[in-house]
Amino acid sequence: MQHRKIAFIGAGNMANAIIAGLVSHGYPASMITVCSPTPIRRDKIAQQYGVISSSDNLAAATQAEVIVLAVKPQMMKEVCEPLQTAVDFSQKLVLTIAAGIPTQRYHEYLAQPLRLIRIMPNTPSLVGKGVSGLFADSNINAEDKQFAEQLMLSVGSTIWCEKEHEINNIIAVTGSSPAYFFLFMESMQQEAEKLGYTPEQARALVLNAAEGAIELAKSQNDTPFATLREQVTSKGGTTAMALAQFYDHNLPQIVAKAMQSAIDRAEEME
Ligand code: NAD
């Protein structure tokens, strides 16, 4: 991977995950600065990965070739506007991981010609199993695209969006979906506890079953999920009875509605 000086503006979970991935893939820690007004989290990241810690967004952004905007969406305007007149963006690549802020908004906040890429990661990036959707704004060149892709490959897999609105689809499919799976596992754990297992046993049983199902599906990548489901389901058997409950309550439709609601919310936030 090509090495450029990177400044992370924001020292939260996502910045931490990406920095961890980069450093573990051999990216030079001395080329990464992590910036936030409060020292606790940025200093922890700096100590853990050997990167530079700073409280000065302007200084960090000025010396960087790549600026990663990693603050909460509601902080973005406040973070960007001071950079508008103080930083020359002509030689910089800007990456933003904030949900729900369209590229147009950054052009307004920063009021300069920009090379900008939107990235939608998810929390499994923390363990190197993330999925990131990327969207390249109009001024992006091939090297910038390759750089952003390599950056996110260090914490998992990537998919490019041709159109900006597709980023909202990625939110529904991968950005929010860890929570869907956690809800399912949470419900199963609760029921297992009612059956008499300790919380630790119930958690382990559910986790191992989920992991087993995922590994099985991955080992048979050409087999559709529907076929894998049918293979566990004997006619009139126990699994068939359990699945009948999901179908009676129209689980596929619930999932469809949930995913559409995530997309609608992302569109509303824009
Ligand atoms: P977080 O709350 O953990 O971190 C935000 C960081 O921003 C904190 O370190 C805070 O100190 C810092 N900050 C606040 N004000 C600042 C300022 N003025 N200058 C510099 N730093 C400042 O948030 P997170 O979960 O890491 O999310 C960061 C971004 O990633 C958000 O925009 C979010 O939409 C996006 N995102 C998060 C997830 C997720 O699942 N967590 C998934 C996809 C995208």
Side-chain angles (χ1 to χ4, degrees):
M1 179 182 184
Q2 188 197 27
H3 296 151
R4 306 188 197 175
K5 275 190 180 176
I6 310 177
F8 283 82
I9 310 292
N13 290 322
M14 273 299 149
N16 182 87
I18 300 169
I19 291 169
L22 283 174
V23 173
S24 73
H25 281 75
Y27 204 95
S30 61
M31 295 183 80
I32 301 173
T33 300
V34 61
C35 220
S36 137
T38 44
I40 301 170
R41 293 172 85 183
R42 70 176 149 84
D43 285 349
K44 194 164 168 245
I45 294 174
Q47 273 162 18
Q48 196 163 355
Y49 307 110
V51 300
I52 300 157
S53 168
S54 167
S55 61
D56 187 342
N57 289 355
L58 280 186
T62 302
Q63 57 80 41
E65 296 159 278
V66 179
I67 298 170
V68 183
L69 297 170
V71 296
K72 289 284 184 203
Q74 58 271 27
M75 293 299 300
M76 197 56 83
K77 187 167 193 269
E78 193 179 308
V79 163
C80 285
E81 281 181 349
L83 306 179
Q84 189 186 101
T85 47
V87 178
D88 174 6
F89 282 89
S90 62
Q91 301 302 317
K92 299 187 194 298
L93 170 63
V94 179
L95 307 177
T96 171
I97 62 169
I101 303 184
T103 47
Q104 179 53 35
R105 201 83 71 236
Y106 295 94
H107 290 285
E108 289 161 22
Y109 295 162
L110 294 166
Q112 288 187 43
L114 292 179
R115 280 155 49 215
L116 177 67
I117 295 178
R118 271 183 78 184
I119 302 174
M120 180 45 54
N122 66 359
T123 49
S125 302
L126 285 162
V127 291
K129 297 273 183 187
V131 184
S132 299
L134 295 97
F135 171 73
D137 197 16
S138 49
N139 289 340
I140 287 300
N141 59 40
E143 287 100 69
D144 288 341
K145 269 186 99 168
Q146 197 187 12
F147 182 85
E149 180 159 330
Q150 290 295 324
L151 188 88
M152 298 319 291
L153 282 175
S154 72
V155 290
S157 59
T158 57
I159 181 162
W160 282 94
C161 301
E162 292 299 319
K163 304 253 163 53
E164 185 161 10
H165 72 84
E166 291 169 22
I167 278 272
N168 295 339
N169 300 347
I170 288 293
I171 292 178
V173 181
T174 61
S176 302
S177 64
Y180 317 159
F181 294 112
F182 293 142
L183 174 63
F184 201 86
M185 293 197 287
E186 186 187 338
S187 306
M188 283 187 65
Q189 180 180 354
Q190 277 166 9
E191 201 50 34
E193 286 178 32
K194 283 191 205 149
L195 294 171
Y197 295 104
T198 65
E200 294 73 27
Q201 285 172 324
R203 182 185 165 92
L205 287 169
V206 171
L207 264 182
N208 290 341
E211 192 178 12
I214 289 166
E215 287 303 316
L216 187 65
K218 282 170 105 174
S219 76
Q220 299 178 35
N221 229 359
D222 295 334
T223 310
F225 293 136
T227 309
L228 290 166
R229 171 177 49 72
E230 283 158 12
Q231 285 169 355
V232 212
T233 316
S234 319
K235 218 173 173 191
T238 55
T239 309
M241 291 303 116
L243 293 185
Q245 288 294 327
F246 290 133
Y247 284 116
D248 283 353
H249 293 88
N250 216 339
L251 184 70
Q253 199 186 18
I254 294 172
V255 172
K257 275 189 182 169
M259 289 173 70
Q260 189 55 50
S261 297
I263 294 170
D264 293 346
R265 178 65 187 134
E267 286 172 356
E268 248 172 53
M269 285 165 72
E270 287 180 352

